[in-house]
Amino acid sequence: MNKLMIGVVGGALMLTAGVAVARPMPVAHHAQVWEQARIPLANGMEAIAVVKNGKAERTVACRDTADVLATFRPEAVAFAPAHNAKGKAVTDETVAGVETFTPVAFQNCTVAAGDHFQQDVAQVQANPA
């Protein structure tokens, strides 16, 4: 009798768990781009967008930025005795190695709460630098 009861309770629990998983999940709000502008500048591009997530609004402004990544890998270090202008003995150090410069482009973005689309577009067009 105990084995039968355990089987019935176990089967009921499995059936309940299967029904709970099959229940549809509520749909979450997805962020939507409401307004968007791409403004070409002399040194890159400015992208401004208003993103809405439910009732919340955020203004996102991204500017293309270019930079150079410089790396130096030393391969040899040489030390030599030398004298400074006053005649004092000092150690002269010479470092030789491989230096590489890699151009890097990335976007620098700022996020502000609210809808500031018109003001941001007007500001970028007035001050393109």
Side-chain angles (χ1 to χ4, degrees), residues 78-120:
F79 298 97
H83 297 284
N84 64 7
K86 294 183 180 180
K88 185 176 179 183
V90 295
T91 303
D92 186 26
E93 179 180 312
T94 305
V95 180
V98 177
E99 187 172 20
T100 58
F101 296 98
T102 308
V104 180
F106 58 93
Q107 284 189 330
N108 188 11
C109 296
T110 58
V111 179
D115 184 355
H116 309 288
F117 184 77
Q118 296 295 331
Q119 296 91 342
D120 287 356

Side-chain angles (χ1 to χ4, degrees), residues 8 18 25 29 39 50 56 62 69 73 84 91 105-106 108 111-112:
V8 170
M25 300 296 289
H29 292 285
I39 304 165
V50 175
C62 296
L69 177 64
R73 188 177 61 213
N84 64 7
T91 303
F106 58 93
N108 188 11
V111 179

